[in-house]
Amino acid sequence: MQRITPKLRHSLSLIPNFCEARAILTLAFAMALVASVLTLATVAASDEPLKRWFLIMLYLQWIGFCGAATLCWARRWLRYARPGVVFFVCWGLLVVIVMVIANFAYRGSLWLGLDFATADETRLAFIARHTMIAAIVALLMLRYFWVRHQWTMQVQAEGEARYQALNARIRPHFLFNALNSLAALIQVRPDEAEMMVEDLSDLFRASLEKGQPIARLVEEIGLCHAYLRIEKLRLGDKLVVEWDIPEEVLDWTLPKLILQPLIENAVHHGISKLAGHGVVRIAARDIFGRLVIEVSNPMPPSTESHRLGNRVAVDNIAQRLKLIYGEGARLELGRDLRLEGGVFRARLVLPRTAMPEPAQTGTGA
């Protein structure tokens, strides 16, 4: 049995995906720029530079579109090929395509009486010259894509390592708090402590998973419910939770265990320090194509411990958001002193992301 490694699955990232309209439009624009450069380089030898630019651009666009269509078709056959195989197959296909189009361009220019191919150059010389140019340009272009591919793989590996390290940093913090809650119940209410252990197992399973870093909001809410059941056993009526999550946002995706630490901070640094009961409110909305999640809790009499206690989890969440979304997501913290006693709010603003496909596996003899 042979498992397909991530390196093989990502070999196609070596070249742009010419099955997408964006890549084709970029290629067409690049070919138009190249045609302009070639026209300016030979403008002194041509009486009609605009006509020559049009012929060169038409020639290059045919090469570009035919090459893009061929590479798009070849993706299915190169899906699991090694990067070196992808490199040389793509290079060979591009050279053959230029050879064929150069042949048709030479015959067409002579038949139509165009000055694209000079009469004193034989067809074989014309094809050979253009094929050699294509071979050199394609080699340089694919070399650039190769270097960019290696750099991308390195950045992804470093990002994954940093992400796992950030996940590992938050686990002890959560573990100590959970075990303290369990120790307070195990002698006085053993039946409820047993239920608490089951909820803890669900939370630890999610925390220790090393699969995809993205999950649906409904799954994260399930983990938060398990955590809040644990705290409800410890705090009793002192903890009140209000959920305001409309059904239309439940399928949104977000980083795993990104919401639970915010609720944990609201409980441990807010509710648990109050003399009476307090309300943790969790709300989510789709605002202009972004998921906005807000966790609020009443502030204890002294806000200094709340601010310092939040720092580890907040810094962790901010770094994880930057690794996954770049500058596309943010975490906002603030105090609302207009309400009696003051309210502390943590707000997540996340862009819409697609759920990543599960890793594929393959078998072989």
Side-chain angles (χ1 to χ4, degrees):
M1 303 289 288
Q2 180 184 8
R3 183 180 179 88
I4 299 300
T5 63
K7 182 178 180 180
L8 296 181
R9 287 200 305 270
H10 296 293
S11 293
L12 284 181
S13 61
L14 189 150
I15 57 174
N17 184 6
F18 290 109
C19 298
E20 297 179 350
R22 181 178 179 180
I24 295 176
L25 291 176
T26 302
L27 178 64
F29 179 73
M31 289 300 182
L33 291 180
V34 173
S36 301
V37 172
L38 293 177
T39 302
L40 290 174
T42 59
V43 67
S46 175
D47 296 332
E48 299 177 305
L50 186 61
K51 176 182 177 181
R52 183 163 184 80
W53 173 83
F54 177 78
L55 292 175
I56 294 175
M57 188 186 68
L58 185 64
Y59 176 65
L60 293 179
Q61 294 292 0
W62 267 105
I63 293 175
F65 287 138
C66 290
T70 303
L71 294 181
C72 175
W73 169 81
R75 286 182 71 85
R76 69 182 68 179
W77 311 109
L78 298 174
R79 186 178 302 276
Y80 300 120
R82 297 185 178 278
V85 174
V86 174
F87 182 95
F88 286 106
V89 168
C90 292
W91 179 79
L93 288 173
L94 293 176
V95 170
V96 171
I97 288 170
V98 172
M99 187 182 302
V100 173
I101 294 179
N103 179 50
F104 282 107
Y106 183 87
R107 292 179 179 274
S109 63
L110 293 182
W111 182 61
L112 296 174
L114 301 174
D115 61 350
F116 183 71
T118 57
D120 57 349
E121 186 177 25
T122 65
R123 181 171 64 91
L124 184 61
F126 179 86
I127 295 174
R129 180 166 60 89
H130 284 238
T131 301
M132 289 296 297
I133 294 174
I136 296 172
V137 172
L139 189 64
L140 294 175
M141 181 180 65
L142 289 173
R143 175 60 182 172
Y144 162 74
F145 289 143
W146 178 288
V147 173
R148 191 186 67 173
H149 166 75
Q150 298 296 328
W151 176 79
T152 302
M153 291 295 100
Q154 181 179 356
V155 170
Q156 289 178 352
E158 292 175 354
E160 177 65 19
R162 285 190 60 197
Y163 184 85
Q164 294 299 336
L166 289 170
N167 263 353
R169 282 176 56 191
I170 205 169
R171 289 170 193 151
H173 173 259
F174 169 74
L175 175 62
F176 296 146
N177 288 333
L179 290 180
N180 287 334
S181 300
L182 180 59
L185 289 174
I186 199 166
Q187 291 184 346
V188 295
R189 288 181 282 177
D191 293 338
E192 294 178 351
E194 183 178 352
M195 297 174 57
M196 183 177 180
V197 171
E198 295 178 357
D199 288 331
L200 275 175
S201 67
D202 293 336
L203 289 169
F204 286 143
R205 185 181 300 111
S207 178
L208 295 172
E209 276 184 349
K210 294 184 179 180
Q212 297 169 354
I214 302 296
R216 292 190 304 156
L217 177 59
V218 65
E219 298 170 354
E220 289 300 294
I221 291 176
L223 292 176
C224 293
H225 275 300
Y227 167 74
L228 287 170
R229 283 194 297 269
I230 295 172
E231 294 296 357
K232 188 69 175 177
L233 291 174
R234 184 175 68 92
L235 298 173
D237 295 336
K238 186 176 182 178
L239 172 62
V240 180
V241 181
E242 293 182 357
W243 292 89
D244 184 12
I245 311 290
E247 292 186 4
E248 56 266 24
V249 302
L250 291 178
D251 287 331
W252 273 75
T253 56
L254 71 168
K256 283 185 178 180
L257 291 176
I258 207 78
L259 179 57
Q260 184 273 333
L262 296 179
I263 297 177
E264 182 181 349
N265 277 333
V267 173
H268 279 271
H269 304 291
I271 305 302
S272 64
K273 298 183 182 302
L274 296 175
H277 74 280
V279 179
V280 175
R281 187 174 185 273
I282 304 104
R285 291 291 185 273
D286 180 351
I287 301 179
F288 300 114
R290 289 178 173 267
L291 178 64
V292 179
I293 304 175
E294 188 174 271
V295 179
S296 60
N297 62 276
M299 292 192 301
S302 175
T303 60
E304 184 65 20
S305 62
H306 188 284
R307 183 181 66 83
L308 294 177
N310 266 338
R311 204 69 260 161
V312 174
V314 166
D315 291 344
N316 185 294
I317 291 172
Q319 292 181 58
R320 291 168 65 199
L321 290 176
K322 187 173 183 62
L323 284 174
I324 295 177
Y325 299 105
E327 301 298 329
R330 64 182 185 273
L331 172 63
E332 301 171 346
L333 304 176
R335 304 170 184 175
D336 189 349
L337 301 178
R338 293 173 297 179
L339 301 177
E340 183 179 357
V343 173
F344 187 87
R345 287 193 174 91
R347 180 179 299 155
L348 279 172
V349 182
L350 307 174
R352 183 180 292 276
T353 56
M355 192 72 177
E357 297 180 359
Q360 302 177 11
T361 58
T363 61

